[in-house]
Amino acid sequence: MTGLWGVEGVGAEWEEIFARVPRAEFLPDLMWPFDERSGGYSVVNRAEDPVEWERQAGRNAAMVTQWDDGRHEGREPGEVPTSSGSKPSLVVRMLQELDVRPGHRVLDVGVGTGWTTALLSARVGAANVVGVEIDPEVAEAARGRLRRAGFGTPVVTGDGGWAAGAPYDRVQVTFAVRRVPGAWVEQTRVGGVLLVPWDTGFTDVQALVRLTVEEDGLARGAFVGTVGFMMSRPQRGGVPVHREYFPSDVEWPDDTVESVTEVRHDELLDDPYGTAAFVVGLRVPEVVHSATAEGEGMRVVYFYSLRCRSWAVVFFQEEGRQRVLQGGKRRVWDEVEGAFRWWMERGRPEVGRFGLTVRVDGGREVWFRGCGG
Ligand SMILES: C[S@@+](CC[C@H](N)C(=O)[O-])C[C@H]1O[C@@H](n2cnc3c(N)ncnc32)[C@H](O)[C@@H]1O
């Protein structure tokens, strides 16, 4: 692996800091490494196998350190990963994007293991960094590790900003949101930067948005690449109850209308970069889709509007026209297909051509930079 955790073009100042603040000092004895090939998790316990633990700590992979908001016990993986040590190459990429300079004041939201808070503290001084972590036990463990590593960085237990330490020049967030809390924007000085993983709710693919606070108090900026983070704890949800949309097992609802589409499953929901589904999610708010049921060359995908009980079902086959059913006031599939075709007609623009404008009240607008912009 060349570069810093495989990332090229990182300044010497960060190379020195990563050498001085080793990741292993911030990882717990029991952790669950993520395996990108299998998409699953293994378990490693330092007390049982210190050599394997060291090997895993040195891998460029995310390490889950808490499941199910801490309710999970034992060594088997739990259901939902709720705290982790981020993948090191992602940590490096984010620090590059954040462009932290000596003298900056930094808010690091989603402290987790404390490693990113320590790296930032090494760059600008612990007195200039405030960490925010929603889970009291995770926060307490991070405080201990930061102290032992020689940083007295304050870690606040909470889920927003921290006014007493404001204004900040940089805000880094290491979980995904569908709404930017107003406090982050309010507490950032004009010209300051927020780096936030954005989740549309439509797909697992998220994108990092780099927002700059402007004179008018709005935060504006473009997406800078796709990422995968756990959701902000208070913003999870949006899981539809199938029965509320489809009360009968044997009949479609009375207002069902039928049509066909030529959109294929792989180009909409399975494209290698996930850009199609991310863009559809940006343009069609509050729509989610179910995991696909597969059978005999067909994938059945349910789309649910979270605003009302409108829905669509598409029977995707490998070839030919796909059967579509829709019901409710909102024509969910028409919106999804419209957004997908809009993206295709513009030559499948990558996420960097899109951006957000965020207001202090949490309102936001999605924008697209055409060829001229
Ligand atoms: C991916 S982990 C953090 C990674 C961390 N920076 C590291 O590398 O160790 C995300 C953390 O954000 C915390 N979190 C989730 N939602 C939060 C919220 N709304 N406010 C503050 N912390 C939150 C979780 O408890 C978890 O510890």
Side-chain angles (χ1 to χ4, degrees):
M1 193 159 45
T2 59
L4 187 53
W5 288 99
V7 182
E8 301 290 346
V10 183
E13 67 285 3
W14 280 117
E15 298 204 357
E16 181 274 318
I17 287 171
F18 274 75
R20 184 150 54 92
V21 185
R23 181 195 200 202
E25 284 186 14
F26 289 85
L27 292 172
D29 290 351
L30 180 63
M31 59 188 188
W32 292 266
F34 179 64
D35 180 356
E36 279 183 11
R37 261 175 301 180
S38 70
Y41 297 91
S42 55
V43 59
V44 61
N45 188 339
R46 193 179 205 168
E48 291 165 9
D49 192 344
V51 174
E52 176 60 9
W53 189 94
E54 283 293 341
R55 191 185 76 81
Q56 291 289 357
R59 273 183 62 223
N60 185 21
M63 302 286 147
V64 172
T65 52
Q66 185 201 61
W67 296 94
D68 305 329
D69 295 336
R71 290 186 303 277
H72 175 75
E73 285 177 11
R75 41 178 300 135
E76 290 312 309
E79 275 179 30
V80 182
T82 50
S83 191
S84 67
S86 300
K87 184 176 177 177
S89 56
L90 179 55
V91 170
V92 176
R93 257 176 69 202
M94 286 186 71
L95 290 171
Q96 260 183 326
E97 283 295 343
L98 201 61
D99 189 21
V100 188
R101 308 283 173 88
H104 277 167
R105 286 197 54 74
V106 184
L107 186 70
D108 188 35
V109 197
V111 169
T113 64
W115 188 43
T116 51
T117 314
L119 293 166
L120 288 163
S121 302
R123 180 83 172 106
V124 297
N128 282 321
V129 181
V130 176
V132 180
E133 166 58 51
I134 199 165
D135 188 289
E137 279 183 27
V138 172
E140 192 47 33
R143 284 183 200 109
R145 292 191 196 108
L146 284 160
R147 256 195 319 272
R148 283 193 292 282
F151 302 104
T153 321
V155 173
V156 179
T157 306
D159 74 343
W162 196 56
Y168 301 101
D169 300 278
R170 297 289 184 265
V171 176
Q172 169 173 263
V173 181
T174 49
F175 51 84
V177 298
R178 294 176 194 155
R179 274 185 319 282
V180 172
W184 297 347
V185 179
E186 242 165 4
Q187 293 172 15
T188 303
R189 72 166 82 250
V190 172
V193 170
L194 297 93
L195 199 59
V196 185
W198 185 261
D199 184 284
T200 65
F202 185 73
T203 160
D204 292 346
V205 175
Q206 303 152 350
L208 204 54
V209 66
R210 188 179 197 275
L211 302 166
T212 302
V213 175
E214 298 181 359
E215 294 280 354
D216 56 10
L218 300 177
R220 290 188 182 84
F223 290 102
V224 293
T226 53
V227 288
F229 272 100
M230 48 190 64
M231 277 302 295
S232 168
R233 200 184 274 196
Q235 294 190 27
R236 288 184 206 140
V239 181
V241 180
H242 184 81
R243 259 287 164 261
E244 292 177 359
Y245 295 75
F246 301 97
S248 163
D249 278 335
V250 287
E251 287 177 339
W252 297 108
D254 288 345
D255 63 349
T256 301
V257 291
E258 185 161 351
S259 58
V260 289
T261 178
E262 283 175 6
V263 174
R264 288 199 327 268
H265 180 274
D266 59 335
E267 53 184 6
L268 173 65
L269 296 173
D270 235 1
D271 89 279
Y273 302 104
T275 314
F278 181 77
V279 172
V280 168
L282 281 180
R283 296 182 61 84
V284 184
E286 295 183 81
V287 169
V288 298
H289 64 88
S290 69
T292 57
E294 291 181 44
E296 304 206 0
M298 183 182 284
R299 287 158 188 248
V300 184
V301 182
Y302 287 78
F303 298 85
Y304 309 83
S305 166
L306 300 176
R307 278 194 201 147
C308 51
R309 296 273 155 71
S310 302
W311 55 270
V313 187
V314 183
F315 300 84
F316 287 106
Q317 301 181 75
E318 268 151 36
E319 291 185 6
R321 296 179 144 206
Q322 329 283 349
R323 182 174 170 230
V324 178
L325 302 180
Q326 303 187 75
K329 289 204 177 83
R330 193 174 173 192
R331 286 285 173 257
V332 174
W333 173 255
D334 295 354
E335 286 187 39
V336 168
E337 177 166 353
F340 174 71
R341 293 206 177 284
W342 177 95
W343 180 71
M344 296 280 280
E345 279 156 17
R346 278 155 190 79
R348 305 174 189 227
E350 33 126 15
V351 294
R353 300 269 296 279
F354 296 84
L356 291 180
T357 300
V358 175
R359 295 194 307 264
V360 167
D361 67 6
R364 52 94 174 152
E365 185 193 316
V366 175
W367 45 260
F368 171 66
R369 212 168 24 204
C371 307

